[in-house]
């Protein structure tokens, strides 16, 4: 990110109101650098793998492509979702792209180890400048990608170009405004809000899930259907408490601590109090709720 003054300019308009303000307009009018707010550390790679494995049944249910189908996965990252795409659609011909060559190298190794028979081609490419012919794919899959873009509508136009008429687009996004906690804590919600603000300043929108239907419809897709996929964790679901609450969500928020402090969003004491309260939701007697949104549209 830029200097402190520039960053504070970006953050100034980021209201904690989850329904209005720059966040609900994908950062419109804000200076952005389109950085991946979670970073590319080994810890983040592990978090993405934990997230994908924990949520595979929830997010990938109903997504299976016929053998021989040409499937484009955009923003594949370290291959965490690619493994589940390949596992659910044996025989599909998957093309996975990411702008990070380092992430693609990790993805290739990970998928080869997990699904050695998967038919996957790997390309370093920018989603806005896809190196594929028009109508080259039968299906497009994008999971947790649009939330990091300042112009998701333009990205969807690029995806429509490479999708054949009658082909499907599947988009999965979260929405940090859907978080419900017990014990509830304003301090925990404040640290979540800091992550939302930082993602907005980087050009993204951590509240994008709620907007998928109008977003895809506005991009020209037909028959758009959005289904909420609710994740709920309590002591009776220890795998979800560990995989979702601790290793996915809390780990994601904790990762922006240094940036939240350096940009003046919070103090160390306030941050630590909020994280401590957030961790209580993963203890005995705590509960955590989050809603993902899965949208499917057809290219007319």
């Amino acid at each position: 990110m830029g200097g402190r003054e520039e960053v504070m300019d970006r953050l100034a308009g980021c209201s904690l109101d989850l329904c209005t303000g720059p966040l609900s307009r994908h950062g419109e009018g804000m200076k952005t650098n389109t950085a991946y707010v979670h970073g590319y550390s080994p810890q983040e790679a592990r978090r993405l793998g934990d997230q994908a494995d924990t949520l595979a049944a929830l997010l990938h249910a109903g997504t299976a492509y016929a053998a021989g189908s040409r499937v484009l996965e955009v923003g594949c990252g370290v291959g965490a979702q690619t493994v589940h795409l390949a596992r659910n659609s044996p025989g599909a011909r998957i093309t996975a792209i990411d702008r990070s060559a380092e992430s693609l190298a990790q993805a290739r190794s990970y998928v080869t180890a997990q699904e050695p028979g998967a038919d996957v081609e790997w390309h370093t490419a920018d989603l806005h400048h896809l190196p594929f012919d028009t109508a080259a794919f039968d299906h497009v899959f994008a999971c947790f990608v649009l939330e990091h873009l300042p112009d998701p509508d333009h990205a969807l136009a690029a995806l429509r170009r490479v999708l054949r008429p009658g082909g499907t687009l599947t988009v999965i996004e979260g929405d940090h405004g859907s978080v419900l906690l017990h014990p509830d804590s304003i301090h925990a919600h404040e640290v979540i809000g800091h992550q939302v603000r930082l993602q907005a300043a980087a050009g993204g929108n951590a509240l994008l899930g709620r907007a998928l239907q109008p977003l895809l419809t506005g991009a020209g897709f037909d028959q758009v259907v959005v289904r909420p996929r609710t994740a709920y964790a309590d002591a009776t679901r220890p795998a979800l408490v560990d995989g979702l609450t601790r290793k996915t969500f809390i780990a994601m928020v904790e990762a922006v601590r240094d940036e939240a402090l350096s940009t003046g969003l919070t103090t160390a004491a306030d941050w630590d109090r909020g994280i401590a309260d957030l961790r209580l939701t993963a203890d005995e007697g705590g509960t955590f709720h989050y809603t993902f949104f899965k949208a499917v549209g057809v290219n007319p």
Side-chain angles (χ1 to χ4, degrees):
M1 301 183 74
R4 188 175 188 277
E5 292 80 6
E6 178 186 357
V7 173
M8 292 309 293
D9 273 350
R10 297 181 204 152
L11 295 170
C14 295
S15 170
L16 256 182
D17 184 338
L18 299 178
C19 300
T20 61
L23 299 182
S24 62
R25 299 194 301 272
H26 319 306
E28 179 183 350
M30 299 172 64
K31 300 176 183 179
T32 61
N33 63 4
T34 65
Y36 178 57
V37 69
H38 307 308
Y40 294 93
S41 67
Q43 293 89 344
E44 174 61 8
R46 286 195 296 273
R47 187 189 73 82
L48 291 173
D50 290 334
Q51 173 180 259
D53 292 345
T54 299
L55 301 172
L58 182 72
L59 300 184
H60 286 266
T63 300
Y65 303 119
S69 296
R70 302 162 300 169
V71 180
L72 173 65
E73 182 194 7
V74 296
C76 69
V78 296
Q81 303 294 339
T82 317
V83 164
H84 297 286
L85 276 180
R87 193 168 290 162
N88 288 357
S89 301
R93 292 150 45 200
I94 300 172
T95 299
I97 69 163
D98 199 274
R99 67 180 183 178
S100 167
E102 182 180 351
S103 292
L104 278 177
Q106 295 180 61
R108 186 193 298 269
S109 297
Y110 183 65
V111 173
T112 298
Q114 297 291 320
E115 292 293 321
D119 183 357
V120 183
E121 291 184 4
W122 308 93
H123 292 270
T124 304
D126 187 317
L127 157 50
H128 295 89
H129 305 284
L130 295 171
F132 307 115
D133 293 337
T134 298
F137 297 97
D138 301 303
H139 307 283
V140 175
F141 181 87
C143 185
F144 308 140
V145 174
L146 298 184
E147 65 171 296
H148 298 292
L149 305 178
D151 53 354
D153 47 350
H154 293 160
L156 289 170
L159 295 178
R160 272 196 67 197
R161 182 189 69 79
V162 300
L163 183 61
R164 68 165 173 82
T168 67
L169 168 73
T170 298
V171 175
I172 301 172
E173 294 292 350
D175 191 316
H176 287 9
S178 70
V179 172
L180 298 176
L181 309 172
H182 179 75
D184 203 5
S185 161
I186 188 173
H187 308 291
H189 285 289
E190 283 174 351
V191 295
I192 296 169
H194 297 328
Q195 196 279 329
V196 172
R197 288 189 177 99
L198 289 168
Q199 188 161 332
N205 180 6
L207 311 175
L208 188 63
R210 69 188 72 181
L212 287 184
Q213 193 279 334
L215 188 62
L216 268 64
T217 299
F221 288 90
D222 282 348
Q223 304 173 48
V224 177
V225 176
V226 179
R227 291 188 171 88
R229 302 291 174 98
T230 297
Y232 168 79
D234 64 23
T236 67
R237 302 175 178 186
L240 274 175
V241 171
D242 189 51
L244 173 64
T245 312
R246 289 197 184 98
K247 293 182 178 178
T248 295
F249 193 80
I250 295 177
M252 175 192 64
V253 175
E254 285 179 320
V256 303
R257 179 185 189 276
D258 290 347
E259 197 166 11
L261 294 178
S262 67
T263 54
L265 281 175
T266 186
T267 65
D270 286 344
W271 176 270
D272 291 343
R273 181 175 181 179
I275 288 295
D277 284 0
L278 190 55
R279 287 174 179 160
L280 290 176
T281 68
D283 290 344
E284 186 74 24
T287 71
F288 177 83
H289 168 281
Y290 192 94
T291 300
F292 300 91
F293 295 85
K294 183 173 183 177
V296 179
V298 177
N299 189 22

